[in-house]
Amino acid sequence: MLLAFVLLLYSLSFALDLKEAIDSAIENSPSIKGLFAERLVYEGKRLSYRSGLNPSLSLEVGNFGTSKESFSKAPLYNFTYSQPIVYPSTLRLAGEVYKFQSTALDYRIETEKNRLASEVYSLFYNALYLKELLKVMEEELALQREIRDFVERSFKLGETTRLELLRAERELELLEGERRITEARYRGVLKELSVMVGKDVDKVEGEFTLPEWKEMNLEDTSLFAYYRLGKESISRQVEVERLLAKPNYSLSLTGEKVGDREYGFRVGLTVGLPIFYKRQGEILELSAQRELLLAEEKSQKQKALAQLNSSKTQYEEIKRQVEKIQRELIPQAQKELELALKSYKLRTITLLELSQTRKSYYDLLKRKLELLLQAHTEYAKGIAYGGSKWCGCY
């Protein structure tokens, strides 16, 4: 029974790596699922242009009050078949409109995936940061317990004061409180991540190191490919509307009874005259849409350039600081802590001096983790534009 319960818990929660997190979030995203339905809208528009080929039929029966003969002796039958004639370019351009819109939608979906991947990436590395921070805190707690135990033994032997024992115990309690708060934060971020990926996440797995920043050409990103195709689609729609604004033609064939046993047939050509602003409203609306899309593209490009340049500048400075901390400051602080521990046991320094040295060392470890989190936060902004092709992380 216990084994079954353990297996049930294991099936309900699991460790998650970055790729699984992003893939699951994309698969679970309602907004991305909804975008796929938009393709039917474009297909519907394409079919609406083809509907102009639908013929019409009319049938007239009657001769009421216009003949000296009764209706049974002199009926009038009139049958007309009318076939609209569509410019061949209209259907070709309508197909191109659908192609551009459909491909633009693919890029829009890809852009939404990139945006979601950026959010999941930030959340994932926030969780990973807290997990690594907990490890540092556990290490610091273990050292502080060792110091407290040493002070306690010294107090029992009469080698130190009760004040030092109380100070050692108070610092241990403070560290334990900070660890509990960090653990609660970690669990909270895991719950957020669970909602996004649609699964209960027990922990995250991955290396908390500096990512590799790559150069990015914004023109190659899905967002600006979407804008390019969107403008092309509108241009084709304008061409279609201009064709529809031209005179429309239809051929008709009319058959009618002209005698007891005689029928006559007529062939007709109908031309609609575009006198009153035909399709001008649609053309004006499409032109405005294209201008709005162009303005939005320029605005997004300015925003992207500013954001990526800022993120890259911050990333490079963070990288220098992390390398300096790792290469110079941490080894030096570690040696100081080892020396302080030996010195305190030899009674050449006070507990306060030891506490300050211990705090300086672990603050450096925590500072390094904070800088790594900042680097990943800036890196996530690049993922929002470049996606997996840029980061290669999913």
Side-chain angles (χ1 to χ4, degrees):
M1 185 69 177
L2 180 60
L3 178 61
F5 180 71
V6 171
L7 290 174
L8 176 61
L9 287 179
Y10 180 78
S11 65
L12 293 176
S13 61
F14 62 97
L16 194 71
D17 63 23
L18 179 60
K19 185 178 185 305
E20 289 174 325
I22 294 177
D23 289 344
S24 296
I26 289 174
E27 183 181 353
N28 191 53
S29 170
S31 61
I32 292 177
K33 292 177 181 177
L35 283 174
F36 282 102
E38 202 168 304
R39 201 181 308 275
L40 296 176
V41 176
Y42 304 141
E43 174 66 15
K45 289 182 179 179
R46 185 174 71 91
L47 292 177
S48 68
Y49 290 124
R50 299 181 66 88
S51 66
L53 290 172
N54 290 330
S56 60
L57 296 173
S58 66
L59 176 64
E60 297 178 6
V61 180
N63 191 6
F64 307 109
T66 60
S67 174
K68 295 180 180 180
E69 302 290 340
S70 66
F71 173 71
S72 59
K73 292 183 178 181
L76 174 64
Y77 301 106
N78 185 301
F79 171 82
T80 303
Y81 173 88
S82 180
Q83 175 62 60
I85 301 174
V86 177
Y87 294 98
S89 299
T90 304
L91 299 180
R92 176 182 60 79
L93 288 170
E96 291 181 6
V97 168
Y98 172 76
K99 180 181 177 181
F100 280 121
Q101 288 178 331
S102 184
T103 308
L105 178 62
D106 290 335
Y107 283 118
R108 185 179 168 193
I109 292 171
E110 190 66 28
T111 300
E112 180 65 17
K113 288 180 180 179
N114 293 345
R115 184 198 61 78
L116 184 60
S118 174
E119 290 183 10
V120 175
Y121 184 96
S122 294
L123 199 58
F124 180 89
Y125 273 99
N126 193 11
L128 199 57
Y129 157 74
L130 293 170
K131 179 183 176 183
E132 295 298 319
L133 183 59
L134 282 170
K135 291 180 182 178
V136 172
M137 287 182 163
E138 289 293 347
E139 183 182 323
E140 188 176 13
L141 269 170
L143 177 60
Q144 185 59 31
R145 288 191 188 101
E146 182 183 332
I147 294 172
R148 191 275 315 270
D149 292 344
F150 177 81
V151 174
E152 188 175 32
R153 288 194 300 269
S154 298
F155 173 73
K156 290 179 180 179
L157 293 173
E159 297 175 353
T160 189
T161 64
R162 186 173 188 83
L163 180 62
E164 283 205 344
L165 177 59
L166 292 173
R167 180 178 294 148
E169 289 177 342
R170 184 177 66 250
E171 289 185 2
L172 181 61
E173 288 178 0
L174 289 172
L175 290 176
E176 286 177 341
E178 290 177 6
R179 182 192 59 79
R180 286 193 293 270
I181 291 174
T182 303
E183 187 174 5
R185 287 172 58 196
Y186 178 52
R187 294 299 169 191
V189 173
L190 289 180
K191 288 184 181 297
E192 287 185 59
L193 199 56
S194 298
V195 172
M196 293 195 74
V197 303
K199 302 174 184 177
D200 289 332
V201 181
D202 184 59
K203 59 181 179 179
V204 291
E205 298 288 351
E207 294 185 5
F208 198 56
T209 56
L210 280 171
E212 181 185 357
W213 191 280
K214 302 174 184 177
E215 294 300 322
M216 184 190 306
N217 183 1
L218 287 174
E219 295 298 328
D220 295 335
T221 62
S222 57
L223 175 61
F224 294 99
Y226 161 74
Y227 283 123
R228 283 197 305 274
L229 290 170
K231 289 184 294 183
E232 287 292 336
S233 169
I234 292 175
S235 296
R236 295 298 190 279
Q237 289 182 68
V238 169
E239 291 183 46
V240 172
E241 294 299 335
R242 283 174 177 163
L243 283 175
L244 295 177
K246 292 181 178 182
N248 54 304
Y249 300 88
S250 61
L251 286 174
S252 61
L253 175 64
T254 303
E256 61 181 355
K257 189 171 184 180
V258 295
D260 281 342
R261 297 184 180 181
E262 294 180 358
Y263 289 87
F265 294 92
R266 295 193 304 271
V267 176
L269 175 65
T270 303
V271 181
L273 299 180
I275 297 175
F276 299 107
Y277 312 105
K278 187 177 182 183
R279 315 304 292 186
Q280 287 190 18
E282 288 81 357
I283 293 173
L284 183 61
E285 182 180 350
L286 288 169
S287 299
Q289 287 179 10
R290 193 179 191 282
E291 289 301 317
L292 288 171
L293 195 63
L294 183 60
E296 184 180 335
E297 180 187 21
K298 290 180 179 178
S299 175
Q300 286 290 341
K301 188 167 290 186
Q302 288 177 349
K303 177 183 175 182
L305 285 171
Q307 192 171 73
L308 291 175
N309 288 336
S310 173
S311 294
K312 183 182 178 182
T313 301
Q314 293 181 66
Y315 172 86
E316 290 175 346
E317 181 58 34
I318 290 169
K319 183 178 180 181
R320 283 192 289 269
Q321 291 295 323
V322 168
E323 290 174 348
K324 182 178 181 179
I325 290 174
Q326 183 65 40
R327 184 179 62 252
E328 300 176 14
L329 301 183
I330 289 179
Q332 181 181 347
Q334 189 174 18
K335 290 178 182 178
E336 290 173 359
L337 179 59
E338 291 172 356
L339 180 60
L341 284 168
K342 292 178 183 178
S343 299
Y344 178 72
K345 291 178 180 179
L346 295 173
R347 302 298 178 185
T348 58
I349 64 171
T350 65
L351 179 62
L352 180 59
E353 290 173 309
L354 173 60
S355 297
Q356 290 174 342
T357 307
R358 184 215 69 205
K359 187 174 184 301
S360 296
Y361 172 69
Y362 285 102
D363 281 351
L364 273 175
L365 296 182
K366 294 173 185 177
R367 178 57 180 165
K368 175 189 169 185
L369 294 177
E370 289 174 2
L371 288 172
L372 287 173
L373 177 61
Q374 289 179 29
H376 282 286
T377 300
E378 298 304 322
Y379 192 77
K381 295 174 183 177
I383 295 175
Y385 294 101
S388 62
K389 294 179 181 178
W390 182 68
C391 70
C393 54
Y394 65 97

